[in-house]
Amino acid sequence: MIVVTGAAGFIASCLVTRLNAANFNDIVVVDNFAVERKLANLKGKRLREYVDRNEFFDWLDTNHEQVEFIFHLGARTDTTEQDKAVFDLLNVEYSQKMWRACCRYQLPLVYASSAATYGSGTLGYSDEDALLPLLKPLNPYGDSKNAFDNWAVQQPEKPFFWAGLKFFNVYGPNEYHKGRMASVIFHAFEQIRQTGSMTLFRSHNPDYADGEQQRDFVYVKDLVEVCFFLMTNRQHSGIYNLGTGEARTFLDLTLNTFQALGRPADVHFRDTPEDIRDTYQYYTQADMSKLRGIGYDRPFTRLEDGIDDYVRNYLVPGTYL
């Protein structure tokens, strides 16, 4: 039996599909299932049980002997949310409770961290433990993820295997419900389809031209392959970056979306909204040497190929992974 939290969300629902493809069908999905717009992500998947996130630890106390692995991907992920108490409750305290339960019942754990922990990137993007206490995230979401990472590595008692994954800019199927927090590729697709053009944020940093802001964009299909690898190779615990190791520009992303749609490129710029301007990351690029060093050798999908697959096979027909 495998537990996946945040299961109705973007990344976790794609992971469930990957597990089903490998004939893992005894899956317990955990989430707030009252959020109806997410439920389509789980339609047609082979599952054992739905458990409300507020009831999960009682469920685990009763069923822990049947559980083989836990993927804790549930979190509040809105980077514009400023209420620290929300993140303390859902991202820190809930994760601490999950950690302690995995220690108590000797269950392996993979949990979601974030590249938002790196803040402006002035200290680089190394996932070595020594950097963790020095990081200064730019928003409460990043603070919450960094707080848990620091707490985890300092614990004297740990699950016999655990991994925290610092997700970089993830894109791909099953993000229809995410609204403002959906990937730029999703927003580009919607804008191009509706207006024939795409508007990107203008640069407010003299070191970057408009559209030349760079991020490490990682396809969700690659991300779940790493999760699967860690589940089946439980040898090297720790915190790992999960990007591609190659930064690409938002203009690259947008032009490839036009190409996947067979439309002529028409790109405009507008000011970055003031509520995120001061906390905007202009460059991220994952140092992937640590994950590669433990034997993960699959290539990551090129941005061009990932966008083409996402747009043509999911966004255009409106289908799910």
Side-chain angles (χ1 to χ4, degrees), residues 48-250:
R48 175 182 177 124
E49 192 172 350
Y50 288 73
V51 178
D52 184 90
R53 72 183 182 201
N54 293 321
E55 300 171 0
F56 171 68
F57 293 106
D58 289 337
W59 179 93
L60 187 62
D61 287 341
T62 302
N63 295 279
H64 62 88
E65 291 183 354
Q66 300 176 67
V67 176
E68 179 183 356
F69 205 96
I70 294 181
F71 289 101
H72 177 38
L73 306 184
R76 183 63 174 267
T77 59
D78 187 345
T79 58
T80 65
E81 173 66 66
Q82 297 300 309
D83 187 350
K84 181 177 180 295
V86 171
F87 292 112
D88 286 345
L89 177 65
L90 296 178
N91 292 6
V92 181
E93 294 169 15
Y94 196 98
S95 297
Q96 290 172 342
K97 196 171 182 181
M98 182 70 74
W99 180 279
R100 294 188 184 106
C102 288
C103 290
R104 181 165 61 250
Y105 298 128
Q106 282 298 290
L107 296 172
L109 171 69
V110 166
Y111 74 86
S113 182
S114 171
T117 57
Y118 290 114
S120 62
T122 54
L123 297 176
Y125 296 93
S126 168
D127 48 12
E128 295 302 325
D129 290 356
L131 192 64
L132 293 173
L134 305 177
L135 296 176
K136 298 185 184 303
L138 299 174
N139 52 48
Y141 166 71
D143 282 334
S144 70
K145 290 298 188 180
N146 194 47
F148 183 71
D149 287 344
N150 275 281
W151 180 90
V153 299
Q154 293 167 12
Q155 293 310 295
E157 186 178 11
K158 296 177 170 65
F160 75 87
F161 172 78
W162 66 276
L165 299 177
K166 293 198 177 201
F167 298 157
F168 278 66
N169 280 70
V170 189
Y171 68 94
N174 298 13
E175 59 173 336
Y176 297 106
H177 65 284
K178 288 179 66 67
R180 186 179 181 183
M181 290 298 107
S183 71
V184 179
I185 297 166
F186 179 85
H187 289 297
F189 169 80
E190 290 291 320
Q191 282 192 40
I192 294 166
R193 187 174 62 169
Q194 293 170 17
T195 70
S197 66
M198 173 60 181
T199 302
L200 293 172
F201 290 154
R202 183 172 288 114
S203 173
H204 300 272
N205 183 328
D207 295 334
Y208 294 86
D210 292 342
E212 297 296 324
Q213 303 96 317
Q214 297 180 59
R215 300 285 178 84
D216 191 332
F217 299 103
V218 58
Y219 199 21
V220 71
K221 291 184 179 182
D222 292 335
L223 189 149
V224 301
E225 287 297 337
V226 173
C227 289
F228 192 83
F229 168 82
L230 292 170
M231 185 185 75
T232 53
N233 295 267
R234 309 171 190 182
Q235 299 178 30
H236 304 281
S237 295
I239 292 175
Y240 296 93
N241 282 335
L242 215 177
T244 65
E246 181 182 7
R248 299 291 299 271
T249 70
F250 282 101

Side-chain angles (χ1 to χ4, degrees), residues 13-26:
S13 63
C14 292
L15 175 60
V16 172
T17 299
R18 177 64 180 89
L19 293 170
N20 279 173
N23 209 30
F24 289 94
N25 303 321
D26 203 10

